[in-house]
Amino acid sequence: SSTSSSASSSSTLSPLSDIAKAAGKQYFGVAVDTNELANATYKVNLDNSHLFGQITPGNKMKWDATEPSRNSFSFSAADAIVTWAQGGGKEIRGHTLVWHSQLPSWVTSGAFDNSTLVSILQNHVTNVVTHFKGQLKTWDVVNEIFNEDGTWRTSVFSTTIGEYFVDIAFRAAAAADPDVGLAANDYNLDYGGAKVTAYVDLVNRLKARGVKITQVGSQAHLIVGSVPSYSTLVTGFQSLVATGVDVAITELDIRMTLPVTDALLAQQKKDYNTVIRACMAVSRCIGMTIWAYSDYYSWIPSVFSGQGAALPWDEQLQPKPAFYGIVDGLNGITD
């Protein structure tokens, strides 16, 4: 396999999380999944908590993994990731309690009425959050709930319950673990506009209704050469922070149309640098997480045909120019 070549010595790489913390952030992190932890070569960098001080399980805390059949819960895969992360002193983000995707068919095809689905939602959130109580820093309580125009995304939850499925999920999570951070997470919050406005308005409504929400996560799945300007990114973060929540960059990758060229790699370095600098400039942007670290494990090629090379390390686990763009950004240097 392409990961059999030696990874860049983990000890010689700039310690991204240490640099971020020294500059006042809580972490620099990475998404992790079970198959990645089974790859000893790839795992060397994952184990390095100076490099990655935070992790987000990619799939093993989602509904299809944790409650595959009604009221039958399965945590072994997620527990293994949590145990590994705790052994390295890493902060852990729970991902995700309520999402329209990766739902088991019993949820999507159950034709439940409002009151039944409300109880199913409360039961799921309560059981999952209780299981991991005290072990996680933040939960992505809801994921991808708005369309690009700021309207509610169609899902079994929004269709059957309406807007208040969000309140129900956040209230259940807060009751199950009063100390864990509670976030709404979404993509395309980078450009401002209607989707960001929808989250600003939602946070304000939730707070007015006495619902605890502590963060909005910006996934930041971006495209080389089309990343918003530094000022646009900062303005977007500031508009969310103005509601009284933190923000975080939660799933960062910056994809390109293949084949890889030196020019695209140079632009990708600048683009990563811009995103990182924007977070560094906003005190309540608390950290940054990349969605895997090597192109070998990127989700992009399987979803976006003809695109890829989105991460800071290549398929041979060698750092790309983007890695050094991140280092510069963490250090306040513009590329």
Side-chain angles (χ1 to χ4, degrees):
S1 85
S2 61
T3 58
S4 58
S5 60
S6 64
S8 270
S9 170
S10 185
S11 60
T12 63
L13 291 168
S14 297
L16 301 180
S17 200
D18 286 355
I19 298 169
K21 287 180 180 178
K25 301 301 163 185
Q26 293 181 14
Y27 58 82
F28 191 95
V30 62
V32 174
D33 218 329
T34 306
N35 57 326
E36 298 165 8
L37 291 176
N39 179 334
T41 309
Y42 185 82
K43 187 171 173 280
V44 172
N45 281 340
L46 293 180
D47 284 337
N48 183 347
S49 292
H50 301 286
L51 189 61
F52 301 123
Q54 179 269 349
I55 64 103
T56 303
N59 292 288
K60 296 303 187 288
M61 291 183 179
K62 291 172 178 170
W63 198 312
D64 59 353
T66 54
E67 194 184 1
S69 59
R70 188 172 176 180
N71 205 35
S72 175
F73 289 89
S74 170
F75 294 116
S76 58
D79 285 342
I81 295 173
V82 168
T83 298
W84 162 77
Q86 289 172 330
K90 298 180 193 291
E91 195 170 291
I92 305 163
R93 184 185 192 90
H95 180 77
T96 175
L97 295 169
V98 186
W99 189 28
H100 67 275
S101 187
Q102 287 180 246
L103 283 171
S105 60
W106 72 265
V107 178
T108 53
S109 305
F112 301 110
D113 63 17
N114 183 325
S115 62
T116 307
L117 190 60
V118 166
S119 75
I120 286 168
L121 178 60
Q122 289 172 322
N123 187 60
H124 178 78
V125 172
T126 300
N127 274 274
V128 176
V129 175
T130 298
H131 180 81
F132 295 104
K133 182 179 180 179
Q135 301 182 83
L136 311 182
K137 179 76 172 184
T138 303
W139 265 109
D140 284 327
V141 180
V142 296
N143 197 43
E144 301 175 1
I145 57 173
F146 289 121
N147 295 315
E148 298 309 300
D149 64 359
T151 57
W152 289 94
R153 180 193 286 274
T154 299
S155 73
V156 65
F157 305 109
S158 65
T159 301
T160 307
I161 303 172
E163 166 173 346
Y164 288 91
F165 86 87
V166 176
D167 300 56
I168 291 160
F170 274 91
R171 288 186 190 279
D177 187 348
D179 298 321
V180 75
L182 303 176
N185 192 51
D186 214 324
Y187 61 91
N188 286 354
L189 303 185
D190 321 275
Y191 303 87
K195 206 173 191 181
V196 169
T197 300
Y199 277 100
V200 169
D201 292 345
L202 176 68
V203 171
N204 287 329
R205 290 200 305 278
L206 290 173
K207 285 177 173 281
R209 296 197 289 255
V211 178
K212 178 182 176 181
I213 178 171
T214 63
Q215 188 190 105
V216 173
S218 176
Q219 293 180 13
H221 293 298
L222 297 165
I223 301 171
V224 168
S226 299
V227 169
S229 69
Y230 169 82
S231 62
T232 297
L233 289 163
V234 169
T235 299
F237 289 149
Q238 288 173 333
S239 65
L240 292 164
V241 164
T243 67
V245 296
D246 294 330
V247 295
I249 293 171
T250 56
E251 305 183 15
L252 176 61
D253 53 28
I254 311 181
R255 63 189 182 268
M256 63 181 71
T257 299
L258 302 173
V260 176
T261 65
D262 287 346
L264 285 169
L265 289 173
Q267 182 63 47
Q268 186 181 49
K269 177 183 181 180
K270 290 182 177 181
D271 290 341
Y272 266 99
N273 177 260
T274 298
V275 175
I276 298 302
R277 282 191 298 115
C279 180
M280 299 306 287
V282 177
S283 61
R284 290 194 73 172
C285 183
I286 54 126
M288 303 134 282
T289 304
I290 51 175
W291 209 240
Y293 76 82
S294 159
D295 293 331
Y296 184 77
Y297 284 119
S298 175
W299 69 293
I300 294 294
S302 67
V303 176
F304 298 95
S305 179
Q307 299 180 59
L311 290 165
W313 281 257
D314 67 19
E315 292 196 4
Q316 284 72 44
L317 310 188
Q318 300 303 306
K320 292 153 63 176
F323 173 82
Y324 301 99
I326 293 171
V327 174
D328 286 346
L330 292 172
N331 284 309
I333 298 166
T334 302
D335 288 339

